[in-house]
Amino acid sequence: MLNVDYFYSVPMILAYYVCLILWILLLLALETTLLWALLNPLNFGLIYNIVFGIFYQFKKRNKT
């Protein structure tokens, strides 16, 4: 079974951030509307992973 530390390590949080930026740039390159590029459902999943991962790292560092 996979550990949560793998999904929310610092390199993975940075990877989620890079994927989010590249996804938005791809949508803009495909000439979608700016509103759709920013409010795309995949963006919410990536933003959730970034925010949850940051809070997970803070909580993990405060425990030790």
Side-chain angles (χ1 to χ4, degrees):
M1 197 154 165
L2 293 174
N3 194 357
V4 177
D5 290 333
Y6 173 74
F7 291 110
Y8 296 115
S9 64
V10 175
M12 281 301 287
I13 294 170
L14 293 175
Y16 287 133
Y17 181 71
V18 168
C19 287
L20 176 66
I21 297 299
L22 290 176
W23 177 248
I24 290 173
L25 290 175
L26 175 67
L27 288 175
L28 292 175
L30 293 173
E31 297 180 0
T32 59
T33 61
L34 182 62
L35 188 62
W36 175 249
L38 296 177
L39 297 178
N40 193 338
L42 182 61
N43 291 354
F44 294 122
L46 290 170
I47 291 169
Y48 171 78
N49 280 332
I50 292 169
V51 171
F52 186 80
I54 289 171
F55 283 120
Y56 178 79
Q57 287 295 323
F58 282 140
K59 192 166 86 171
K60 185 173 90 171
R61 293 215 196 309
N62 287 338
K63 274 188 177 179
T64 59

